[in-house]
Amino acid sequence: MPSVPFRPTLPITILLAALSTVAVAQNPPAPATNPFGGIPQMTQAQQENYSAQLLDQLTEIKTAALSDDYAYNQVAHLTENIGPRISGSPQAKAAVDYVASELRQLGLDVQLEEVKVPHWVRGAETAELVEYSGQVAGTSQKIVLTALGGSTATPAEGLNADVVVVNNFDELKKLGREHVAGKIVLFNEIFDKQKAAAGISFIAYGEAVRYRAAGPKAAADLGAVAGLVRSVENADYRLPHTGFSVPAGIPAGAVTSEDAELIAHLAAQGRVRMHLTLTPQKFPDAIGYNVIADLKGTEHPEQIVVVSGHLDSWDLGTGAIDDAAGVAVAMESAEILQKLHLHPKRTLRVIAWMDEESGGAGSQAYTKDHSSDFPKHVAAIESDSGAAHPLGFDIRMSANAADLLRPALNVLESFGATALQPSSYPPGADISSMSEAGVPALGLRQDGRTYFNYHHSAADTLDKIVPSELRENAAAMAVVGYALADMKEPLPR
Ligand SMILES: [Zn+2]
C-alpha cells in the first residue's frame, strides 16, 4: 500500500523515449526534432548497455514468466495455508519461515534480518446508535465497523457518547474542544470513486487516507473519547477497511460508507448517541524478520538490485493483493532466472519486507543495517499496488536512468506494461529510504481501478487475483530486475 499519490501526468520526455522501440544496431540516435517521423532506434547509451544477447534473454524471461504459476502458488500458500500475516502474529512468523525456505530451495543465499515490530491483536468490535432524532421506540441502529491498527480499547462493556460528524480537519478545528471533548468524532471524508474509475485511485486514496492516519489523533487532542473515520474504500458492500492510524491514545475505528452516511443523516437532524465496543489488545513489541535472499552476481556481486514486496498484511482478509502478490512476483524473479540458468552480473536481492502496514519497522531496520551499502544499490523495485494487469512502473530516478530502462520495458510491449511514470515521491513505502538516499526506485504499477474495493478489508483474498494478470506482473518484475542486474553499466544516478 503506497501511502503517497502517484502523479497523473506523463511528461513528454518519457513519452518520446517510449517511441524508441526498435533495436537497430550501430545506427545513430533518431533526431530529437521529429520523433514521430522516423523508425524508432536505440540511443547509443541503450545500445551499449543492451547486447543482443541480453535482449534475447529478456524475451526468454518474459516468455517463461507468462506460463509460470510459481508466483500464484506462493500467494495461494501465503493466503490460504498461512492466512492473515499481521506484524507480531504467529502467521507472520510462519510466512517468514516459509518464504525463507522456498528461496533457499531456489539456491539463494538467505538471511533473516531481525526487526522489532508492534504486536496488536484485534478484539470485539461492535457499535450501535442507541439514541437519535426521530428514533422509533424499541429500535436502535447497528453500525458496522472495525478497529484501526494500534487502536486502544474501550471498557469491555463499551462506552456511550454523542457522535459529532465532521467532513475535514478544518471543521474539527472550528468545533474546538468545547464541542468535541467527551464525544466520538466521525470523519466523513468520501473516497473519490470517480478518480478511481478514471485510473488515479492512488490519488483518491492519498486524499482520504489522511483522515484515517491522523483523524483519531486530531480528535483525541481535542478531548474526544473515540475517533472514527469513514472507511477508505471504493466499493459499497458495507465492509469496513482497516489500516494504520497514528497512535491516538483513544479507541479508533473505521465505519463502513453506508454507516457513515446513516450517522451523518441522523446527526444533521439532531443528537446521535453511540454505544461503542472495541477491545483490541496491545502487547509488548515482538520480533519479526525481513527475508533477504541473494542470487549472487557473477561479476559484481557487491552491486545490488532489489526486487521486493511486503510479507505482513492486515488481519481482516488474507492479504492476497496487499501484498502476498508483491512478495510472490519478487520470488518468481529469482525462480525464473534459476530455471533458465541465467546468471546476472550483479546480485539480484529478493526482499520480503516485514511490517509495512503497522509502521514500517522492516524498512527502517534495513536502512539502519545497510545504508552504508546504498551507494552500491543499483536500483530497488517494489510491488505493492495489487496484482491486477500491470501498466508499467512508477519511477523516481534521473532522466538518463529512465532512458536506459526503455529497452527492457519494450520487451513487455506484448502485454502493455510499458509506461514509465516519473514520481516525485518514492514509488514504494519499503524502498522510500533507499529512494531518498538516491537509489533509483521503481514501483510496479498495476491497473488500480478496483484495488481499493478490497484493500485492507476482509475481501482481500486469493480469488481477487487473476492468474494470467499475476503472470504478467511476474514477467514485468523479472524482466526489469534482470535487465538492471545484467546491463553493461549500473543504472546511472
Ligand atoms: Zn501494502
Side-chain angles (χ1 to χ4, degrees), residues 14-350:
I14 298 303
L15 193 62
L16 296 183
L19 290 163
S20 54
T21 52
V22 178
V24 183
Q26 304 314 318
N27 282 348
T33 47
N34 187 9
F36 297 94
I39 295 172
Q41 295 166 11
M42 287 219 287
T43 64
Q44 182 135 15
Q46 289 169 345
Q47 285 179 38
E48 281 167 12
N49 275 282
Y50 288 81
S51 64
Q53 187 194 19
L54 174 56
L55 290 169
D56 285 348
Q57 288 169 341
L58 294 178
T59 299
E60 199 188 345
I61 290 167
K62 178 191 75 171
T63 305
L66 290 178
S67 63
D68 188 332
D69 279 325
Y70 180 87
Y72 188 84
N73 294 335
Q74 300 304 335
V75 178
H77 188 86
L78 289 169
T79 57
E80 296 201 324
N81 299 94
I82 293 178
R85 303 170 302 283
I86 190 170
S87 276
S89 66
Q91 290 88 349
K93 178 63 171 61
V96 163
D97 292 340
Y98 172 74
V99 168
S101 140
E102 288 294 295
L103 291 169
R104 278 193 194 104
Q105 234 173 75
L106 288 179
L108 273 61
D109 178 7
V110 179
Q111 311 287 335
L112 298 187
E113 181 171 45
E114 200 172 291
V115 180
K116 222 164 111 180
V117 295
H119 184 196
W120 174 88
V121 178
R122 188 175 299 284
E125 33 198 33
T126 60
E128 55 185 342
L129 304 183
V130 292
E131 282 179 58
Y132 43 90
S133 175
Q135 182 180 22
V136 172
T139 63
S140 64
Q141 282 282 9
K142 177 182 172 172
I143 297 299
V144 179
L145 86 170
T146 195
L148 296 177
S151 167
T152 63
T154 64
E157 68 280 10
L159 61 79
N160 281 290
D162 286 0
V163 184
V164 52
V165 180
V166 296
N167 292 302
N168 52 52
F169 290 116
D170 287 342
E171 287 184 18
L172 180 76
K173 208 168 148 192
K174 267 192 204 132
L175 283 176
R177 177 169 284 272
E178 183 191 348
H179 298 285
V180 171
K183 301 207 168 114
I184 296 170
V185 171
L186 169 64
F187 289 89
N188 190 29
E189 166 73 14
I190 301 171
F191 181 94
D192 188 342
K193 292 191 180 71
Q194 201 148 4
K195 284 199 180 78
I200 52 172
S201 58
F202 281 87
I203 290 178
Y205 180 69
E207 289 169 352
V209 79
R210 288 177 288 179
Y211 293 93
R212 190 195 76 206
K217 177 72 166 65
D221 288 346
L222 293 177
V225 294
L228 301 177
V229 295
R230 181 179 178 128
S231 284
V232 181
E233 55 103 347
N234 186 42
D236 299 333
Y237 294 105
R238 216 174 177 190
L239 266 182
H241 295 237
T242 190
F244 176 81
S245 191
V246 171
I250 57 172
V255 305
T256 67
S257 299
E258 292 86 344
D259 291 287
E261 291 284 329
L262 169 69
I263 296 167
H265 293 164
L266 293 175
Q269 296 164 38
R271 179 169 174 238
V272 173
R273 197 160 176 81
M274 177 183 281
H275 178 229
L276 173 67
T277 308
L278 296 173
T279 61
Q281 287 179 274
K282 181 138 178 60
F283 296 97
D285 284 351
I287 299 298
Y289 301 90
N290 291 326
V291 183
I292 301 176
D294 285 354
L295 183 60
K296 288 279 185 218
T298 52
E299 286 178 31
H300 303 290
E302 77 292 353
Q303 295 178 7
I304 289 160
V305 173
V306 171
V307 291
S308 67
H310 68 84
L311 194 49
D312 66 304
S313 74
W314 281 107
D315 56 333
L316 296 173
T318 54
I321 61 171
D322 190 11
D323 183 30
V327 170
V329 298
M331 292 170 76
E332 187 175 312
S333 299
E335 186 261 348
I336 296 269
L337 300 194
Q338 294 294 66
K339 196 164 74 177
L340 298 177
H341 305 291
L342 294 174
H343 309 290
K345 292 185 180 73
R346 303 180 188 88
T347 293
L348 187 81
R349 173 169 289 177
V350 179

Side-chain angles (χ1 to χ4, degrees), residues 1 310 322-323 356-357 384 451:
M1 173 227 60
H310 68 84
D322 190 11
D323 183 30
E356 189 276 338
E357 300 291 7
D384 186 19
Y451 182 62

